[in-house]
Amino acid sequence: MLDDLNELKTFRAILAEGSLSAAARRLGVTLAVVSKRLATLEDRAGVRLIHRTTRALSPTEEGARLLIDVERALEAIEAGEEQLASGRVEPSGTLRVSAPIAFGRRCVAPVLAQLAARHARLGVALELDDRVVDLVGEGFDVAIRIGAPADSSAMMRKLADNRRILVAAPAYLDRAGRPVTPEEAAGHAFLRYGRGSDPWRLRGPDGATASLGAAARLRVDDGDVVHDWALAGLGIMLKSEVDVAQDLATGRLTRVLPCWDGGDAPILALYPSARHVPLKTRVLLDALAAHLATLMAGESRQPAAPLPPLDVL
C-alpha cells in the first residue's frame, strides 16, 4: 500500500513540476526512483499515462483522468494526516464548484468567500457557467443546478425549494397596469434570457394551466442583465424565486399574477457518487442550505447568511 501511494504521489509531482528531475527534487529522491515508480504505475495500469518528449511532459487522456482521482485521493489522505496530527477536524484542500452564472455570483460566491475566510486550509475554485458540466470528467466536487437534471448518476441533495415566478418593478406596473389574469398579461413588455421563444407555461389555482406567448421586447444572454432591466422598470421577467427574494422583500420588485407561477425549479447540489462525502463538500452543502433558507425567508440583507456550526459527523 505504501509503495502504491508513493507511485501516485510521484505521478502527481511529475505532472505538477513538468519533468522527472524536478519531481525527484521535490520528493527528495533520485531520478532513478522517480522513473521506476512511474514505470511501475504504468505497468499496473496497462496504459501509458504520460507523453514524454525531449522538451515537455503531458498527461495522456488516460493519465488526465487518473490525475483527477489521484488528486482527490491524496488530498483526502493528507487531510486525514493533518487532522490526526493536530487533533482537529477541519475542511482542507481545494473545493471545486460549478454553478450557473447569475445564481453563482449572487448566492454561491459569497458563501464560498465566507468558508474560505473561516477555514484557513480550504481553497476554492469556482467556475461560473450555464452549461451542464461533467462532474467526474472535469474534476468538480460539487455542481449546483436549478431545476431537476434530466438524468444523472451523481449523488444529489436538494438545497432549497424554488419556483419560477413573474416579477416586475412597481414603477413599470404603475405605468403599464397590473394584470390579474394571464390573458391580461399578454399585452405587456417581456424581458427574456437566452434565445428561447417558446411561450411561458404557467400553472395556477386548482391545477389550472395557461400559456403566455412571451415575445420579448428585450432579450439578452446574461441573467444579471435581465434582472437589471426588470429593476429599471422595462418589463416583466420570469425568474427563479431565489434570485429575486431580496428584491421582493425590499419592494424593488413585485409579483405579477401572484396566483400563478412557472413551475418548480429546486436548487440542487450534485456531487460524485461515493460512500464517503468529503468534509469540505459537506461543509459547503450545509452552508448553502442555511444561506438559501434565510434568503427565501426574506430575512437576508447581507451577501451571505452566517455560516452554520461545523458538523463533523
Side-chain angles (χ1 to χ4, degrees), residues 39 54-55 64 74 76 78 105 126 146 148 157 166 203 220 248 250 282 285 294:
T54 56
R55 295 186 177 182
L74 293 179
E78 290 160 0
R105 287 173 180 163
L126 173 62
I146 300 179
R157 173 175 167 181
L166 296 166
R203 65 181 184 184
V220 67
L248 294 172
T250 58
R282 289 189 282 127
L285 300 187
T294 302

Side-chain angles (χ1 to χ4, degrees), residues 72 133 135-136 140-145 148-149 151-159 267-278 281-282 285:
R72 281 181 172 153
V133 301
L135 268 175
V136 175
F140 287 106
D141 296 295
V142 179
I144 306 300
R145 301 269 199 274
D151 180 43
S152 177
S153 60
M155 301 294 288
M156 187 184 306
R157 173 175 167 181
K158 184 168 73 171
L159 300 175
I267 310 300
L268 305 172
L270 277 62
Y271 48 96
S273 178
R275 293 182 61 185
H276 172 69
V277 181
T281 298
R282 289 189 282 127
L285 300 187

